[in-house]
Amino acid sequence: MDVMGDKATLYGTGRFVQASVREEPRDETGEAADEAAEELRQRLAAETGDVEAMSVLGAMLLRRGDLDGAEPHLRAATAAGDRAAANNLGVLLHQRGYADDAAGWWRIAAVAGSAAAAHALGRHHRERGDEPAAEYWLRQSAEQGHTLGAYALADLLEHRGDADGTERWMRAAAERGHREAAYRLARALDRRAARQTDAGGVPPADEAEQWYRQAAARGHRRAALHLGAILERRGELREAGRWYLTSAKDGELRAACALGFLLRDAGDSENAAVWWLRAAQDGDGNAANALGALHAERGETQTAERWYRAAMDAGDVNGAYNLGLLCAEQGRTQQAEQWYRRAAYAGHREAANALAILLLRAGDETGAEPWFSKAAEAGSVDAAFNLGILHAGRGEEEAALRWYERAAAAGHTEAALQAGMARLRDGDEGEAERFLRCAAGGGSAEAAYRLATVLDARRPPEPAHELGEPVHRRSECEEWYERAASQGHRRAQVRVGMLAAARGDVVDAARWYREAAEAGSRNGAFNLGLLLAREGSEPEAVVWWTRAADAGHGRAALRLALVYARRGELAEGQRWADRAVALGPEAVAERAKRLRDALRQELSA
């Protein structure tokens, strides 16, 4: 027999019925009858002076809440030296409000070896601010294997900043089945892994997951939430959903919200709305925002606005930002500015960026710049890029480059392109290449093309084999040209066509020239014309040269003048020669003048 409330010890006496491992229907009437019979048996034994029976009877009455009935039995057993009775007497006195008297009896029981009493005494001292005494008794309890003592000691050590001691005893409590200890141990391991990742180290194996799982299996709703998040990040969505559901049913609003997002991503927006509604009605701002977005997508702007306001009322600053977005989409600029300002003053960086854009569009550059700066300093990548544009527009290239590079370092593709271009203008080819690679890797076709030109310029001449014919090896610059071309970059398409033509692949060259020409490239149209003319398709070549010349390509106009001159259509030839003279460049203009003069003489002859 040990302490009141220590179920494992009480069950060990054989005087309390343990629940069966198999869940069977409870016979409450039978249980009540058995308990009454047991109480009678203990009462009869106590009347004969059985100390253990007095202690057990007192514990039974204490558990039932019959303090007056329990006290004489516990005092009698305590007087006879029963340490469990001394501990339970302390519990009784504590419930009556006599904390100091309770501590006295706990001390007696703890000195006699009661781990539960040592735990209670340690908690008593901590509540009174006596941490050294609290640590002493909690350590006594923990070292005897008392689960609650280990947990309370870990909590005290955490308060003191003793990380090693905290983890040791939190782990000890968790290993003995304490669900809150398992959860807190998992959180500590999670934070440690995050710090190691941020520092560039290799995080340990995800031990946190097993502790989250243990706590969640014991009904810890926040552990179930975190476990669901881990599984969702890993792509195990079905199991993640099960844990979110478990946590949400236990009242965890964040789990209900997360479950809603999981359902939405699976295409089940109706059930997602059910869970968001449940969380939002209980004050979850994130869920209210999600509901607002859902209704906004459906065009139900009034309902969306109502939920955004609910999110704002719940303390979620995203509500004000989303209201700003909603008003801006509806053309309600003044209201949008008000909501953006509200969110920006509350520290919402994207709202600050949106407010700055709104002011800039209204011509208030002076008012916009501080908000761009505030957003950028708070970590908004878009704001940093926008500051770069702002400074570049003023000709402040050094400041622009600084902001472009800051945004590029955070992964902004367009900023990396602009930084690369600026470095190229400064002649810093090495840094330019680094930024262009970042931008090209991020999907920028222009960056891929610019990177290809940088690599192309430093490419050595093609080696020749024994017969003197060039040996073609696919270079890195060609790969980047092709990547840009496949993304629709017209100059890259022309360049890939030229490379294909150089290696004799006429079909591939024509394909790329045609793509560029049809997208509006005058060089693509001109080169396609040249290719078709060489292949004997001059009529089709004329069509493409005409398109190129109409777009301002001087060489195409000269080609057309020559074609029409050969055909004897001298007036048309002269017209295109005049066009070539006007378009240039200089060498083309000189040839076109000579041709035009010859055609005039022929016409006047």
Side-chain angles (χ1 to χ4, degrees):
M1 173 65 192
D2 206 307
V3 298
M4 169 68 183
D6 187 340
K7 290 186 179 180
T9 309
L10 289 173
Y11 287 152
T13 66
R15 290 177 172 80
F16 294 90
V17 180
Q18 293 194 48
S20 171
V21 174
R22 295 172 299 180
E23 292 188 8
E24 298 177 352
R26 292 182 60 190
D27 182 358
E28 295 185 1
T29 303
E31 287 180 3
D34 289 344
E35 187 175 347
E38 176 66 15
E39 182 181 336
L40 178 60
R41 194 159 47 248
Q42 296 297 340
R43 193 177 294 277
L44 292 173
E47 289 174 356
T48 65
D50 188 325
V51 174
E52 185 177 359
M54 295 176 194
S55 181
V56 172
L57 179 59
M60 292 178 71
L61 295 170
L62 178 61
R63 185 174 62 178
R64 187 189 302 164
D66 184 359
L67 305 189
D68 292 335
E71 186 170 355
H73 296 293
L74 292 176
R75 285 191 180 276
T78 299
D82 189 293
R83 71 180 186 185
N87 178 67
N88 285 342
L89 181 57
V91 173
L92 185 147
L93 291 170
H94 189 271
Q95 290 184 22
R96 288 191 184 278
Y98 303 123
D100 291 335
D101 290 341
W105 290 112
W106 282 331
R107 181 181 295 274
I108 291 170
V111 169
S114 171
H119 165 249
L121 187 57
R123 292 289 302 273
H124 170 81
H125 284 298
R126 188 173 182 191
E127 288 169 4
R128 277 150 182 73
D130 188 352
E131 290 195 359
E135 182 180 352
Y136 174 81
W137 288 110
L138 291 175
R139 194 174 293 278
Q140 292 293 316
S141 175
E143 288 176 351
Q144 291 180 64
H146 194 276
T147 302
L148 295 176
Y151 175 72
L153 177 59
D155 186 69
L156 176 62
L157 295 173
E158 183 178 52
H159 174 69
R160 288 186 176 179
D162 182 353
D164 292 339
T166 300
E167 182 174 339
R168 175 193 170 190
W169 290 109
M170 201 68 79
R171 188 181 295 276
E175 287 171 349
R176 294 167 192 162
H178 194 290
R179 70 178 190 182
E180 184 66 24
Y183 170 72
R184 289 177 63 176
L185 177 60
R187 295 294 294 141
L189 293 169
D190 246 354
R191 287 190 290 269
R192 182 194 300 169
R195 286 195 298 271
Q196 290 180 353
T197 302
D198 291 342
V202 178
D206 195 4
E207 184 188 0
E209 181 182 342
Q210 76 179 59
W211 293 113
Y212 281 135
R213 194 175 289 277
Q214 177 175 308
R218 292 177 177 272
H220 197 292
R221 69 187 192 188
R222 283 174 294 166
L225 167 66
H226 286 285
L227 179 57
I230 289 172
L231 293 166
E232 183 179 1
R233 286 195 298 271
R234 205 158 60 208
E236 298 175 22
L237 303 185
R238 187 179 296 277
E239 189 179 358
R242 286 200 299 269
W243 285 112
Y244 283 149
L245 180 61
T246 298
S247 181
K249 285 182 175 179
D250 285 341
E252 181 61 51
L253 301 183
R254 291 174 296 170
C257 187
L259 180 58
F261 283 112
L262 206 63
L263 290 166
R264 181 204 62 183
D265 293 343
D268 189 355
S269 59
E270 293 304 319
N271 278 316
V274 170
W275 286 104
W276 284 334
L277 180 62
R278 180 171 175 173
Q281 287 176 333
D282 286 335
D284 188 284
N286 194 25
N289 274 315
L291 275 174
L294 184 65
H295 288 289
E297 288 172 6
R298 295 171 176 173
E300 300 164 355
T301 54
Q302 288 185 334
T303 307
E305 185 170 339
R306 179 168 63 84
W307 282 113
Y308 287 148
R309 288 180 182 274
M312 191 174 58
D313 292 341
D316 192 326
V317 70
N318 285 312
Y321 174 59
N322 288 332
L323 278 169
L325 292 174
L326 191 67
C327 291
E329 288 172 2
Q330 295 172 339
R332 296 151 58 193
T333 307
Q334 188 174 357
Q335 289 176 288
E337 181 181 339
Q338 291 173 352
W339 290 118
Y340 285 149
R341 280 188 187 278
R342 181 164 179 172
Y345 277 121
H348 196 293
R349 65 190 188 190
E350 297 309 328
N353 181 58
L355 174 60
I357 292 172
L358 206 64
L359 294 170
L360 194 62
R361 286 175 178 167
D364 186 4
E365 184 177 312
T366 304
E369 186 174 354
W371 287 111
F372 276 137
S373 296
K374 185 174 182 179
E377 293 296 346
S380 171
V381 180
D382 288 334
F385 175 63
N386 289 334
L387 272 174
I389 295 174
L390 200 65
H391 286 291
R394 298 173 184 165
E396 299 165 358
E397 299 298 335
E398 187 175 338
L401 178 58
R402 186 170 66 251
W403 286 109
Y404 283 146
E405 290 186 349
R406 183 165 175 172
H412 196 290
T413 299
E414 186 62 25
L417 170 62
Q418 294 302 324
M421 297 293 291
R423 290 295 187 182
L424 274 180
R425 288 193 295 271
D426 293 342
D428 189 348
E429 190 175 289
E431 278 296 287
E433 180 182 341
R434 182 171 71 85
F435 282 112
L436 290 174
R437 284 187 183 278
C438 289
S444 170
E446 181 66 24
Y449 172 73
R450 296 285 181 175
L451 175 61
T453 61
V454 169
L455 298 172
D456 205 1
R458 69 166 81 123
R459 184 169 57 162
E462 288 280 354
H465 62 53
E466 294 176 357
L467 299 178
E469 296 178 359
V471 177
H472 178 73
R473 292 187 180 89
R474 183 182 174 82
S475 64
E476 187 187 4
C477 75
E478 289 181 72
E479 293 176 0
W480 286 113
Y481 277 135
E482 289 185 9
R483 180 180 293 194
S486 65
Q487 292 176 263
H489 194 286
R490 293 182 299 180
R491 284 175 295 172
Q493 289 170 338
V494 172
R495 183 62 180 149
V496 171
M498 292 171 66
L499 292 169
R503 64 174 178 263
D505 190 345
V506 177
V507 174
D508 202 35
R511 177 172 69 86
W512 286 113
Y513 287 150
R514 191 178 298 276
E515 278 199 37
E518 289 176 347
S521 169
R522 62 188 186 184
N523 284 329
F526 174 71
N527 287 356
L528 180 57
L530 288 178
L531 201 65
L532 291 167
R534 292 193 192 110
E535 295 298 311
S537 300
E538 188 174 88
E540 189 179 354
V542 168
V543 172
W544 289 107
W545 282 334
T546 302
R547 181 180 291 192
D550 287 340
H553 199 288
R555 291 177 65 194
L558 178 58
R559 286 278 177 175
L560 287 170
L562 291 168
V563 167
Y564 285 113
R566 284 198 305 271
R567 291 179 180 177
E569 300 178 30
L570 304 184
E572 187 67 8
Q574 184 179 343
R575 184 175 75 81
W576 283 111
D578 284 337
R579 178 74 171 146
V581 170
L583 293 173
E586 187 176 346
V588 170
E590 286 298 323
R591 291 181 61 193
K593 282 179 186 177
R594 292 194 295 270
L595 178 59
R596 180 186 61 189
D597 294 342
L599 290 173
R600 281 177 179 170
Q601 289 178 5
E602 188 70 23
L603 286 169
S604 60

